[in-house]
Amino acid sequence: MERLDTGIHAGRLSPAEYDKNFSDLHPRLDKHEALVASDRCYFCYDAPCMTACPTAIDIPLFIRQISTGNPLGSAKTIFDQNILGGMCARVCPTEELCEQACVRNTAEERPVEIGRLQRYATDAAMQAGKQYYTRAASSGKTVAVVGAGPAGLAAAHRLAVKGHEVVIYDAKPKSGGLNEYGIATYKSVDGFAQKEVDYVLSIGGIEIRHGQLLGRDFQLADLQQQYDAVFLGIGLSGVNALRVEGESLAGVDDAVDFIAALRQTDNKADIAIGRRVIVLGGGMTAIDAAVQAKLLGAEEVTICYRRGKEHMNASEFEQDLATSKGVIIRHWLAPKAILAQDGKVAALEVEYTTLSEGRLATTGETGVIAADQIFKAIGQTLVSSSLGSLRLESGRIVVDEQGRTSLDGVWAGGDCVFGGNDLTVSAVANGRDAAESIHRMLAADAQPAVAVA
């Protein structure tokens, strides 16, 4: 196929190239590979990998269960703490969490493959249709969950297990949140996000209403009146602006929208990509956008980040993955202006930056990088206009250790809360723990009053 080498075009690659480029990043271990990998675990008492896991999965136990030929038992150990363990096994930065804490690093500088073993077990259970949980008797209580992402799904599942009726409101046409719309396609292939949603919903007692946006189709006050409790797992739907000249030019797009479009298409060849692509940002979204731009056939992809390598939110593994795919990562560059030719993106003018007394400053030097497409991955924000008097800090919802907000009967979790680390696994932990708190409140309310003589 002749390569189109100018502008933004679809169909830069052959069908075989798309299939190869977007194949599974870490294919599931087979039985023999899983047994060999599990045999490397020391099965530590008071294991540091458990402490490093935000959902506190009993990692030595689930690995021992795999090693003894019991993957279905292993999956239950995982799901008891993390009902979205299948997706977390695919997208968690295990190299910075459980695997970084693995004691095998000291002896061999190579951890046990905890993430891939977790996927092996959870995939086995889901493929077998193994359902470990049954609902308790109906409590007669109802809970509204806003957002069908990891936090909302985890909360809904735990509440349904306890016997409560749950209604999830979500603005998107599909459930899953960032698991469905916001991660690189090669990290979750074959429609796994929806398969996991179906698995979670199979417990029963959970209704999802799609196309329902908080502040447009319903208000928080409405939910407080209609339900016994409310959980907010609304994520971060706003996108930061660059606030530089040329931001509105054709060819300047949000990386989040690009990733979502790629996730939802049935044909990768339909997604147009530039020949020279620049991605602005230093987090996971920037890496995912840059790598996928390269996989779509972009010839030059450059990440521009205003600080140093050590300041990037993206893990070192993800940075190495990007460079292995041919992405160039340039540090200490801030966007100054987007330059145009014939009304379209032609280049990015940048300013060199440095740290001065701990603060980011420009050096006065500038440069120009040619580009025909620029993706903004400079962070997302909470859309708070529909949250009423809910207490916020630094643009996010303030919660206590149980996920309770400043409003009675309202809990929150996931990326929308203050102090989080914007990880899928942390959102799951937030949703699970908030559900337990909600259940305690509902159970206390259901207790009959005791007469005092």
Side-chain angles (χ1 to χ4, degrees), residues 117 235 251 284 422 438:
L117 286 168
M284 289 301 306
D422 297 352
I438 292 170

Side-chain angles (χ1 to χ4, degrees), residues 279-282 302-312 319 328-336 348-367 369:
V279 180
L280 301 173
T302 304
I303 292 176
C304 292
Y305 181 56
R306 61 181 180 166
R307 295 180 181 269
K309 174 182 174 67
E310 67 276 16
H311 303 116
M312 293 182 72
Q319 294 179 52
I328 301 167
I329 303 179
R330 298 185 61 178
H331 303 101
W332 304 109
L333 294 177
K336 180 178 175 63
L348 176 71
E349 184 180 7
V350 296
E351 293 181 288
Y352 289 84
T353 59
T354 188
L355 287 179
S356 176
E357 297 181 352
R359 300 175 65 87
L360 191 69
T362 56
T363 66
E365 299 174 276
T366 62
I369 304 173

Side-chain angles (χ1 to χ4, degrees), residues 261-281:
L262 190 51
R263 289 277 301 169
Q264 298 306 304
T265 186
D266 292 326
N267 183 6
K268 304 294 189 298
D270 292 339
I271 303 297
I273 198 71
R275 179 169 71 92
R276 294 175 173 173
V277 176
I278 293 175
V279 180
L280 301 173

Side-chain angles (χ1 to χ4, degrees), residues 287 290-291 303 317-329:
I287 296 289
V291 171
I303 292 176
F317 169 83
E318 292 290 340
Q319 294 179 52
D320 291 344
L321 173 66
T323 55
S324 74
K325 300 297 184 183
V327 174
I328 301 167
I329 303 179

Side-chain angles (χ1 to χ4, degrees), residues 50-69:
M50 284 183 61
T51 303
C53 174
T55 53
I57 294 171
D58 191 335
I59 294 171
L61 175 59
F62 94 67
I63 294 179
R64 183 180 290 277
Q65 289 169 310
I66 291 174
S67 72
T68 57

